[in-house]
Amino acid sequence: MQKTVLNDIHHRSGARLIDFGGWEMPLHYGSQIEEHHAVRRDAGMFDVSHMCAVDVEGADAAPFLRRLLANNIDKLQVAGKALYSAMLNEAGGVIDDLLVYYLDDGSYRLVINAATADKDLAWMNVHRQQWQMALSITPRREGAGALAMIAVQGPQARQKLWHAQPACRPACEPLKPFFAVQWGDQFIARTGYTGEDGYEVTLPAQQAGQLWEALAAAGARPCGLGARDTLRLEAGMNLYGQDMDESVSPLDAGLAWTVDLSAPRDFVGKAALLAKPQRYRFLGLVLRDRGVLRAHQQVVGKHGSGEITSGSFSPTMQQAIALARLPLATAIGDTVEVAIRDKLLGAAVVKPCFVRNGSILV
């Protein structure tokens, strides 16, 4: 397994480590539930250095991304602005979901998923060659330019970062959500994957341990993948490989808002999306009976059947919740049944954002 630069610290901290997409990553540091609550109520920090930062630079960087991504990078007009997008195959399936940051007209930074990084880079390089575009594609994982990433999330996360390194505050305090700033060697973004406020800090790998220890001293609780999954599920955020993959259209995965079909530009997968309209709604479920919701369970309602893509127990709501692809006619407020073992248990259909900024929304 590959290891992040913080791996030794995780071992010393008593983390339970697992294989996640070929990376040895912490599942929890003793209590997944307590880590979840720390992020909702105070501040937690995650090692997300397995994610891959990719710098796309050159005269054709903008035309390349304009053609490669389903969302339109022409929306990026201010330095540091971030855009969430899917990268599609020719059939309209999702190769990966990613963030792209605009640095200037010839420079962008992408953040791609760990498990898909190799295929993403191969896909990008194939199209760079096919389209004969002048740009460089540089993954920042190895060598002297290797980067690490630490996410600090929760209502007190920003204050914890400012306490850990006070000099960064003037640069990052004014940031609006979904913006980033270059502060010395660090790239600080007001983004995250938990439904809470906070920062994702990308920095030289050799500096990551020092920042991690400083954040811990400031009171940010180390958190693992277990809490990260229940937090993102409560926030209604997709997980690649569960809620979408290369066989799933972004229109069926609740990602239509990340696809720009109205602009005249062409992009990989556009023709397929136009030829195959949306077939499912991507909605949330709250189980009304006692039980556990899991991926691949069948959902039955008056408009037909669907399938859960992600499910778990919500520590914040104290109920079982899920994300599901359901028939197009399904509406928020409907009642459906979930097949769990040999029973059909009742569930309510809700808007797929259960908890945001510490508040229960359903």
Side-chain angles (χ1 to χ4, degrees):
M1 287 185 289
Q2 299 184 78
K3 299 178 181 181
T4 75
V5 70
L6 296 172
N7 185 267
D8 287 344
I9 292 178
H10 301 323
H11 277 277
R12 292 199 302 270
S13 300
R16 180 186 172 190
L17 294 147
I18 61 169
D19 182 350
F20 181 75
W23 289 77
E24 187 177 59
M25 299 295 295
L27 179 64
H28 58 73
Y29 296 81
S31 172
Q32 175 180 328
I33 297 293
E34 290 179 7
E35 292 165 21
H36 179 107
H37 289 319
V39 174
R40 286 279 179 253
R41 300 168 182 172
D42 185 28
M45 59 181 178
F46 302 83
D47 177 12
V48 288
S49 304
H50 59 311
M51 305 287 282
C52 184
V54 181
D55 290 337
V56 177
E57 300 171 302
D60 288 335
F64 175 74
L65 293 174
R66 195 176 291 122
R67 197 169 168 183
L68 185 77
L69 303 179
N71 213 342
N72 194 348
I73 64 158
D74 290 342
K75 298 174 183 177
L76 301 176
Q77 299 292 328
V78 180
K81 183 73 175 75
L83 183 73
Y84 179 57
S85 181
M87 184 166 62
L88 309 180
N89 58 27
E90 296 289 355
V94 181
I95 290 177
D96 199 8
D97 64 323
L98 54 88
L99 282 175
V100 53
Y101 294 92
Y102 170 73
L103 306 180
D104 58 49
D105 287 340
S107 183
Y108 297 81
R109 171 163 290 170
L110 278 58
V111 180
I112 58 179
N113 282 304
T116 59
D118 289 343
K119 74 168 183 177
D120 289 3
L121 290 164
W123 183 259
M124 286 188 274
N125 279 303
V126 163
H127 285 83
R128 177 182 59 83
Q129 294 167 5
Q130 285 182 354
W131 298 335
Q132 298 182 340
M133 290 189 167
L135 67 140
S136 61
I137 300 170
T138 309
R140 303 290 301 276
R141 267 189 172 169
E142 299 176 352
L147 299 175
M149 190 182 304
I150 298 171
V152 194
Q153 301 281 288
Q156 298 301 314
R158 300 173 74 210
Q159 286 78 9
K160 303 291 187 188
L161 180 64
W162 300 336
H163 188 274
Q165 46 181 33
C168 79
R169 183 168 183 169
C172 63
E173 185 174 13
L175 284 177
K176 296 178 181 179
F178 250 61
F179 275 85
V181 65
Q182 188 73 45
W183 178 71
D185 290 339
Q186 296 185 13
F187 187 73
I188 304 175
R190 196 173 175 187
T191 52
Y193 192 52
T194 63
E196 297 296 329
D197 200 359
Y199 294 119
E200 292 179 305
V201 183
T202 304
L203 72 169
Q206 65 270 22
Q207 298 176 18
Q210 181 180 357
L211 177 59
W212 185 269
E213 299 288 10
L215 285 167
R221 180 169 183 148
C223 300
L225 293 172
R228 187 169 171 83
D229 190 53
T230 51
L231 288 160
R232 72 90 191 169
L233 178 59
E234 288 186 347
M237 296 179 175
N238 292 45
L239 175 63
Y240 189 84
Q242 283 193 206
D243 302 303
M244 72 289 198
D245 56 33
E246 291 192 41
S247 68
V248 177
S249 162
L251 307 181
D252 293 333
L255 298 177
W257 62 278
T258 73
V259 178
D260 182 4
L261 291 171
S262 60
R265 74 187 175 100
D266 192 17
F267 60 84
V268 179
K270 182 177 183 179
L273 296 184
L274 292 173
K276 294 187 297 183
Q278 182 178 349
R279 297 182 298 161
Y280 300 97
R281 291 194 72 186
F282 192 71
L283 295 167
L285 299 177
V286 177
L287 191 64
R288 295 308 188 198
D289 297 317
R290 291 180 63 84
V292 180
L293 297 180
R294 294 282 185 249
H296 308 302
Q297 290 170 340
Q298 185 182 29
V299 183
V300 181
K302 60 185 177 182
H303 301 293
S305 63
E307 183 182 36
I308 288 176
T309 57
S310 289
S312 186
F313 178 77
S314 162
T316 304
M317 298 171 61
Q318 292 293 295
Q319 288 177 282
I321 62 172
L323 299 173
R325 281 195 293 274
L326 302 174
L328 270 180
T330 308
I332 292 170
D334 282 356
T335 298
V336 296
E337 293 181 312
V338 182
I340 302 178
R341 295 178 181 168
D342 57 348
K343 297 180 180 179
L344 288 174
L345 302 184
V349 178
V350 300
K351 186 177 180 180
C353 183
F354 305 89
V355 180
R356 185 63 60 93
N357 295 322
S359 299
I360 298 172
L361 304 180
V362 298

